[in-house]
Amino acid sequence: MLAAMLEALIFDVDGTLADTERDGHRPAFNAAFAEAGLDWHWDEALYGELLAVTGGKERMRFYCERYAPAFLEQPDADQRIKALHAAKTRHYLKLLETGAIPLQPGVVRLLREAHGAGLRLAIATTTTPENVTALLPAELMALFEIVGAGDTVANKKPAPDIYQWVLREMDLPPSACLAFEDSYNGLKASLAAGLPTVVTLSEYTRDHDFLGALAVLSDLGEPGRPSKVQSGTLHGKALVDLDLLKIWHREAIRES
Ligand code: XBP
Ligand code: MG
């Protein structure tokens, strides 16, 4: 049975709530490698390649498979990757504390509007849970009913698992929700979970394939700073508001 009403919004974090990868996660990985005495350095281009794999631990393993296979031959390779990831998270949290990573345009505005109108809010992310609470101010974090993050599920995006976990926790069908993503992997995950999805672009995902998205936008827009449309339509609006989300949701449900 397809839900008629839009009841919940489910947000990805990295690249969607904030553009965290190039200037956030990436330097944190590099700081952890340097601290461990490893000569690994993930420059912007290499990091863009490694972002094909979600999850920091999985991404380091992917890097080793391609560029440092001997590291994986060590008997304690798994523990060393876990330790590197814990160090990276520590560096990332420190970086977030400086306020260096702002939230994307329109995020605070839409979260407040949606919550104020009684919609339920959730997060479905591949990143480590403490990275979410460190990124969002407490008053925004309080708006989210459920946070699905990191190792909550074994299979990270593009698998649908984290979105399915959030839907189960909220006891909602996907047809009552909209998802917000920034990447190919993220959109694959949300669509596989049956969620109509809005894409806002991030530094590394501009040329990704977003087939199946309701709309692909520069960002959610702010008054006086219109959202730029890559695909789909804002139905005459200059920014994404609750009214537009309800139009998109009705269209999505009608077409499904
Ligand atoms: C993005 C990811 C994460 C971050 C790094 O998650 O794939 O792995 O790149 O964070 P999403 P961790 O777009 O789903 O928010 O090192 O904590 O994994
Ligand atoms: Mg993302």
Side-chain angles (χ1 to χ4, degrees):
M1 203 277 278
L2 287 181
M5 285 279 291
L6 175 61
E7 296 183 55
L9 305 181
I10 307 175
F11 289 84
D12 163 56
V13 174
D14 294 301
T16 301
L17 293 184
D19 214 339
T20 55
E21 295 292 359
R22 189 189 65 193
D23 301 334
H25 289 296
R26 186 181 65 89
F29 279 110
N30 287 331
F33 302 152
E35 194 175 74
L38 291 166
D39 65 353
W40 306 351
H41 181 75
W42 292 359
D43 64 20
E44 290 183 25
L46 173 57
Y47 194 66
E49 176 193 328
L50 300 177
L51 275 173
V53 173
T54 63
K57 297 188 288 295
E58 296 82 354
R59 188 167 304 139
M60 283 188 273
R61 177 168 285 280
F62 178 56
Y63 169 78
C64 289
E65 284 160 3
R66 287 197 167 184
Y67 301 101
F71 188 91
L72 297 179
E73 280 148 29
Q74 300 170 97
D76 62 345
D78 266 352
Q79 290 92 314
R80 290 195 65 187
I81 283 177
K82 279 201 181 87
L84 280 167
H85 194 244
K88 174 263 172 181
T89 299
R90 184 165 34 80
H91 285 287
Y92 182 64
L93 294 175
K94 244 191 295 182
L95 202 148
L96 288 181
E97 270 165 33
T98 67
I101 310 278
L103 296 181
Q104 290 286 69
V107 164
V108 176
R109 174 184 58 75
L110 189 62
L111 288 176
R112 285 184 177 147
E113 181 188 4
H115 187 266
L119 265 72
R120 299 165 66 185
L121 301 177
I123 278 175
T125 176
T126 305
T127 198
T128 302
E130 52 264 47
N131 294 347
V132 184
T133 40
L135 175 70
L136 295 173
E139 56 105 6
L140 281 187
M141 202 59 224
L143 303 182
F144 289 97
E145 180 182 327
I146 297 285
V147 177
D151 295 334
T152 301
V153 294
N155 308 309
K156 293 185 168 76
K157 299 174 185 177
D161 302 39
I162 195 67
Y163 278 106
Q164 291 166 334
W165 182 88
V166 167
L167 289 168
R168 274 197 306 276
E169 290 294 306
M170 299 183 90
D171 190 23
L172 283 175
S175 58
C177 308
L178 286 181
F180 295 78
E181 271 287 352
D182 74 297
S183 69
Y184 172 77
N185 279 336
L187 179 62
K188 293 277 282 182
S190 58
L191 292 180
L195 286 157
T197 305
V198 178
V199 167
T200 50
L201 297 169
S202 59
E203 276 145 357
Y204 277 111
T205 67
R206 293 187 196 296
D207 60 353
H208 282 199
D209 171 8
F210 292 119
L211 184 68
L214 290 176
V216 180
L217 312 172
S218 56
D219 51 56
L220 298 171
E222 291 286 16
R225 190 193 182 288
S227 171
K228 297 183 196 68
V229 178
Q230 180 170 297
S231 74
T233 167
L234 292 177
H235 291 280
K237 290 176 176 282
L239 50 72
V240 178
D241 60 12
L242 189 50
D243 192 30
L244 179 54
L245 294 184
K246 288 179 177 171
I247 294 170
W248 280 338
H249 179 256
R250 275 198 300 276
E251 286 174 347
I253 297 309
R254 224 186 359 256
E255 281 153 22
S256 56

